[in-house]
Amino acid sequence: MDDRKWMQLAILQAEIAFSEREVPVGAVVIKDGSVVSESHNRCISLRDETAHAEMLALKDAYEKLGSLEGCTLYVTLEPCAMCAGAMIHMRLPRLVYGAFDPACGCCGSRLDLGDHWFDHSIETIGGVLEEQCSSLLKDFFRVIRFQ
């Protein structure tokens, strides 16, 4: 699979978030080798704490397709409980993420909500382009801290 290629697109979305002073997380939904939707964190600009990159990309893809069957979500940071719950309810079959989130990650680090807890399991791969994804987050928080 082209996991690294698609993660690069998610990283581009995270870089857009960084430039907008949002936490730099990007997400892309792929189906049959094509981009269905892409987004980045917009919590600050939309004044909505649920406006995570994953949520926005998943909602857009679901609206376009009516189902996430055959889709893969690529996201630069391991999803939180809210995003993992949305993926389960939308029946996303596959998730690929970059950086692990030991504090809040719910797709393998802190918890793994997509693995046998509910009536739908998500094939999950973590650590794809992890260094690039982690560096972007570290750089962002270093810049914000010293301003």
Side-chain angles (χ1 to χ4, degrees):
M1 297 204 115
D2 296 321
D3 290 342
R4 293 170 62 87
K5 169 186 166 183
W6 299 122
M7 186 60 73
Q8 285 289 356
L9 290 180
I11 290 170
L12 289 175
Q13 285 295 311
E15 290 170 347
I16 293 169
F18 192 118
S19 72
E20 294 174 357
R21 299 184 56 84
E22 296 274 3
V23 175
V25 177
V28 180
V29 176
I30 304 297
K31 182 173 183 175
D32 299 327
S34 296
V35 175
V36 176
S37 66
E38 54 190 345
S39 194
H40 54 276
N41 272 4
R42 292 193 173 124
C43 297
I44 296 168
S45 63
L46 295 178
R47 300 175 73 146
D48 177 0
E49 288 303 318
T50 68
H52 291 192
E54 309 93 297
M55 295 294 286
L56 297 172
L58 288 168
K59 286 161 81 172
D60 184 48
Y62 200 85
E63 286 174 10
K64 289 176 180 175
L65 301 174
S67 163
L68 296 182
E69 184 177 336
C71 292
T72 299
L73 172 66
Y74 292 86
V75 62
T76 57
L77 179 64
E78 180 181 356
C80 68
M82 173 184 68
C83 296
M87 292 183 298
I88 292 164
H89 286 289
M90 292 179 170
R91 306 190 75 72
L92 179 77
R94 187 166 185 267
L95 164 68
V96 178
Y97 64 86
F100 292 87
D101 185 354
C104 297
C106 288
C107 295
S109 289
R110 193 99 172 137
L111 294 171
D112 194 349
L113 296 178
D115 185 29
H116 304 100
W117 287 98
F118 301 98
D119 66 343
H120 176 72
S121 293
I122 302 168
E123 176 191 350
T124 302
I125 298 168
V128 175
L129 299 180
E130 179 182 6
E131 183 57 39
Q132 283 181 264
C133 296
S134 294
S135 292
L136 195 55
L137 287 159
K138 288 174 188 171
D139 290 348
F140 176 78
F141 287 109
R142 186 171 35 255
V143 168
I144 294 301
R145 237 182 250 135
F146 294 114
Q147 286 187 341

